[in-house]
Amino acid sequence: MSECNGNCSSCGQKGGCDSPLKKLEQNKDSKIKKVIGIVSGKGGVGKSLTTASLASVFQSKGYKTAIIDGDITGASIPNMFGLENGIASDGEYMIPAITKTGIKAISINLLLETPDSPVVWRGSMLSNVLKQFWTDVKWGDIDYMFIDMPPGTGDIPLTAFQSLPIDGIVIVTSPQDLVSMIVKKAYNMAKIMNIPIIGIIENMSYIECSDCGKRIYPFGEGKADLVAKELGVKLLAKNPIKPTIAKACDDGNIEDISLQAYDNAADMIIDILK
């Protein structure tokens, strides 16, 4: 089976998939300026943490910020922000939840009877939910929207790349030896779909000793900087392992955590997307 190159007009399977021929339009009550996809080649690298942290930093800088939790079967954004109430409706559109600092967010977990209810759906249904999160939500004025993608290069990232006006992606990885392959999977998919790559963020890079400040590399020194140089993209941040970050996520207080690395990454993203 050939790879999708984003050009439906030349595809031998035209009409045989759910791929749209053009980007979805915003509804009349939404004005979203910039859309950033947060992606990874595999799970467990801190993609949702990156989404939540970047959104929090952008909001703190005075930008109107929003999140689409696109990881439909593994949604975690509501937990990180302490969002528990369901989604309201004005009779025409869904109304996004609002975090304590004003970030607007939508997630399947806010629509389920209980957050631990499994989403046992096929790919086409999952992709349709993502589209509805774009077209059927009253977003209002948004400067930066972040989409937390599921890991890998499957249906939902493909739908997002083809259907939504994504201005660029941030690739999230970790320091293990597989980093090169992990990053290149996401990088190559974005290239095939003609989506700009903003840069790379490496999570779980090191532990900083609380006594002497020395950096300890439990997984070995990361290779993200070398991969970024090889691919010709920016290394936006190398973030530490901190128990306080995990606790903040568990307690729904991710907005209370401040990391200089994410703040610097946000400034770089703003500059790149000018």
Side-chain angles (χ1 to χ4, degrees):
M1 183 176 179
S2 61
E3 291 181 325
C4 176
N5 62 8
N7 184 2
C8 296
S9 62
S10 63
C11 180
Q13 299 184 59
K14 182 179 178 181
C17 70
D18 294 329
S19 302
L21 296 177
K22 62 180 181 179
K23 303 292 185 182
L24 294 173
E25 294 183 0
Q26 298 181 33
N27 62 55
K28 60 183 177 60
D29 291 321
S30 300
K31 187 178 180 181
I32 303 163
K33 296 176 183 176
K34 298 289 185 182
V35 182
I36 300 170
I38 310 297
V39 307
S40 64
K42 68 180 290 294
V45 297
K47 174 180 49 58
S48 297
L49 171 64
T50 297
T51 303
S53 298
L54 286 176
S56 297
V57 171
F58 272 74
Q59 187 73 14
S60 72
K61 290 177 179 291
Y63 296 103
K64 296 175 182 176
T65 307
I67 298 174
I68 288 179
D69 191 350
D71 194 353
I72 311 297
T73 61
S76 58
I77 291 297
N79 297 53
M80 292 184 173
F81 288 96
L83 299 173
E84 297 178 351
N85 297 327
I87 296 297
S89 171
D90 67 356
E92 185 175 9
Y93 298 117
M94 290 182 281
I95 308 298
I98 300 179
T99 73
K100 62 186 179 183
T101 64
I103 300 169
K104 294 181 179 180
I106 190 79
S107 172
I108 194 67
N109 271 16
L110 298 172
L111 298 169
L112 298 175
E113 188 172 333
T114 61
D116 57 0
S117 298
V119 180
V120 189
W121 297 344
R122 294 190 183 277
S124 59
M125 291 183 66
L126 299 174
S127 296
N128 285 335
V129 170
L130 178 66
K131 294 177 187 177
Q132 286 184 290
F133 283 170
W134 176 264
T135 60
D136 297 357
V137 176
K138 188 176 184 178
W139 289 109
D141 290 334
I142 298 296
D143 296 314
Y144 290 92
M145 171 174 281
F146 295 88
I147 303 178
D148 184 15
M149 305 277 197
T153 55
D155 284 332
I156 294 181
L158 178 60
T159 296
F161 287 172
Q162 290 184 316
S163 303
L164 307 184
I166 295 178
D167 293 281
I169 63 164
V170 173
I171 301 173
V172 183
T173 187
S174 56
Q176 287 90 337
D177 287 340
L178 291 174
V179 61
S180 179
M181 180 187 72
I182 293 166
V183 170
K184 286 178 181 178
K185 280 181 180 289
Y187 174 89
N188 288 332
M189 181 179 187
K191 283 294 185 181
I192 289 170
M193 305 303 297
N194 296 315
I195 302 294
I197 294 93
I198 297 171
I200 298 170
I201 287 180
E202 181 182 88
N203 283 324
M204 300 178 282
S205 294
Y206 59 89
I207 300 170
E208 192 170 274
C209 177
S210 58
D211 293 326
C212 67
K214 180 181 178 181
R215 290 186 176 184
I216 302 164
Y217 299 91
F219 304 109
E221 292 199 41
K223 300 177 178 62
D225 46 354
L226 297 177
V227 176
K229 185 176 181 180
E230 178 187 348
L231 298 177
V233 299
K234 296 279 189 181
L235 178 61
L236 301 172
K238 300 182 85 169
N239 296 314
I241 299 171
K242 282 192 172 184
T244 52
I245 298 175
K247 185 174 185 342
C249 291
D250 291 341
D251 294 343
N253 295 321
I254 187 61
E255 290 161 294
D256 295 342
I257 293 294
S258 177
L259 279 179
Q260 188 63 46
Y262 282 118
D263 192 88
N264 293 341
D267 288 339
M268 292 173 70
I269 292 169
I270 292 166
D271 186 62
I272 291 169
L273 292 182
K274 279 182 180 176

